[in-house]
Amino acid sequence: MSENPRPTPAQELAGYLRSYIREMGLGNEDPGVVIDRYHTPDIEWHSDGIRLDRDKLIAHARPARKNAIALDIEVHDTLVAGDRVAARYTLRSTMRKGRRLSNEIYLFGELAPDGRLRRVHSTTRDMPDQAGDGTGR
C-alpha cells in the first residue's frame, strides 16, 4: 500500500490520474489547492489545441463540479521516462440530468523536478457509451 494516498505524477501516474480527476470533478476542496498539489504554478495544459493555465483550469472545474455526479477513470497505459509521462485512459462521466459521456484521452506531459506536472498536451476522442444509447452524448 502506498504511503501517499495522493501520488504525484512521477510517483504513480495512474494513481495521479484517478486522484486528480476525482478531486477536480467531484471534490469539495478548493480547486486551486488541488491544482497546486499535482501541478506547478506555471502549468500549461493544452487540451485539443486549447491552452489552459492555472486560472483557466480552476474555472473549468467549477461547472464540472456542478454537473457531474459520478466519474469512472479506467487507465489503460502509462509510461514515465525521466521527466516525461504518457498515458491513455477512458473517462466516463454521469451528469446530473442523467447524460453519460465517455472519452478516451491521450496525455503527454513534462514533469518538474519535484514530480508535479508542468506541461501537458492531451487529445480526446468521444466514445460510445456502452451502458447508454450508444451516442456517448
Side-chain angles (χ1 to χ4, degrees), residues 37-103:
R37 180 178 299 127
Y38 299 107
H39 307 101
T40 59
D42 63 340
I43 180 69
E44 284 186 20
W45 194 299
H46 301 263
S47 180
D48 295 325
I50 299 169
R51 182 187 176 277
L52 303 169
D53 61 13
R54 182 181 180 278
D55 291 339
K56 288 178 182 173
L57 287 167
I58 291 169
H60 179 72
R62 291 190 175 104
R65 286 180 175 189
K66 281 181 155 179
N67 294 316
I69 59 169
L71 297 171
D72 177 59
I73 301 101
E74 182 181 356
V75 180
H76 306 291
D77 300 296
T78 62
L79 177 66
V80 178
D83 69 347
R84 304 298 173 159
V85 298
R88 181 178 65 92
Y89 60 100
T90 302
L91 172 61
R92 294 179 187 87
S93 309
T94 303
M95 309 313 273
R96 198 162 301 289
K97 294 184 178 181
R99 185 173 158 195
R100 297 179 63 143
L101 305 172
S102 186
N103 299 98

